[in-house]
């Protein structure tokens, strides 16, 4: 009775995280052109200090679309991403990475997973998308991190950024 007058939004498809070895906690979403970007924490649920640990290269995965006509995702596309598996010996906070999943907003097909790794907890707090007057598409992710954060550049190289509280790589 509390929600009288509210409507459930209509949608044509859904995409889901499908791996037991990794999960995403989505915090923000943005549309840019024909893409939907979902950003948040990514986390490997594997821990090297656990008995029976096996490192895998496809910790996190997204599948889609799931539709009214394909509710089991038999025809869905799946993509995976390798996540760093951190020890949980002193807690699980260091397991979180910044993650952005790109999905075709027209079809629900997952297109890419972007992961920004770091030693320590990495957190997403904002996501903004904009197309400039010249047609350039820009996506900005904001948040905070403890320790270091690594990001891939368009030329294939990686940049490592250290938290201002860290001295050359140490917390």
């Amino acid at each position: 009775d509390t929600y009288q007058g509210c409507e459930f939004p209509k949608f044509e498809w859904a995409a889901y995280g499908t791996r037991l070895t990794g999960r995403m906690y989505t915090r923000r979403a943005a549309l840019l052109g024909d893409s939907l970007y979902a950003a948040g924490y990514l986390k490997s649920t594997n821990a090297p200090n656990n008995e029976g640990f096996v490192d895998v290269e496809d910790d996190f995965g997204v599948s889609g679309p799931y539709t009214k006509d394909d509710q089991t995702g038999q025809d869905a596309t799946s993509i995976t991403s390798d996540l760093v598996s951190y020890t949980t010996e002193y807690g699980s906070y260091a397991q979180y990475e910044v993650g952005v999943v790109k999905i075709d907003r027209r079809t629900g097909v997952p297109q890419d997973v972007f992961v920004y790794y770091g030693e320590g907890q990495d957190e997403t707090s904002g996501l903004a998308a904009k197309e400039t007057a010249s047609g350039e598409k820009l996506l900005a992710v904001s948040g905070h991190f403890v320790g270091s954060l690594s990001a891939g550049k368009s030329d294939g190289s990686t940049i490592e950024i250290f938290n201002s509280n860290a001295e050359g790589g140490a917390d």
Side-chain angles (χ1 to χ4, degrees):
D1 291 350
T2 304
Y3 300 103
Q4 291 179 1
C6 293
E7 283 188 37
F8 190 74
K10 293 180 176 22
F11 55 90
E12 299 295 319
W13 55 263
Y16 298 105
T18 54
R19 305 284 302 169
L20 296 176
T21 51
R23 64 178 62 125
M24 181 173 192
Y25 302 91
T26 303
R27 297 293 185 246
R28 300 285 183 261
L31 296 173
L32 184 60
D34 290 330
S35 298
L36 165 67
Y37 293 89
Y41 310 117
L42 277 179
K43 172 185 175 179
S44 170
T45 58
N46 281 333
N49 60 305
N50 289 345
E51 188 175 326
F53 168 77
V54 176
D55 195 19
V56 296
E57 293 185 3
D58 56 358
D59 302 82
F60 176 72
V62 177
S63 294
Y66 294 82
T67 65
K68 182 178 177 183
D69 296 328
D70 185 14
Q71 297 176 19
T72 62
Q74 182 173 338
D75 295 322
T77 298
S78 295
I79 59 172
T80 60
S81 183
D82 187 22
L83 301 177
V84 175
S85 298
Y86 297 101
T87 180
T88 57
E89 185 177 1
Y90 303 106
S92 63
Y93 291 103
Q95 289 179 303
Y96 296 96
E97 312 289 9
V98 172
V100 179
V101 175
K102 180 181 179 184
I103 300 170
D104 184 307
R105 77 182 204 162
R106 296 164 297 142
T107 64
V109 173
Q111 296 176 318
D112 211 341
V113 178
F114 307 98
V115 183
Y116 304 95
Y117 299 94
E119 195 63 42
Q121 183 177 2
D122 309 320
E123 191 171 298
T124 307
S125 58
L127 181 67
K130 179 176 177 79
E131 186 168 346
T132 65
S134 65
E136 185 179 18
K137 294 178 180 163
L138 305 173
L139 187 70
V141 180
S142 66
H144 69 272
F145 63 96
V146 176
S148 63
L149 185 67
S150 296
K153 295 169 51 176
S154 61
D155 66 3
S157 64
T158 301
I159 184 170
E160 186 171 16
I161 306 163
F162 294 97
N163 185 290
S164 61
N165 294 327
E167 294 183 17
D171 286 340

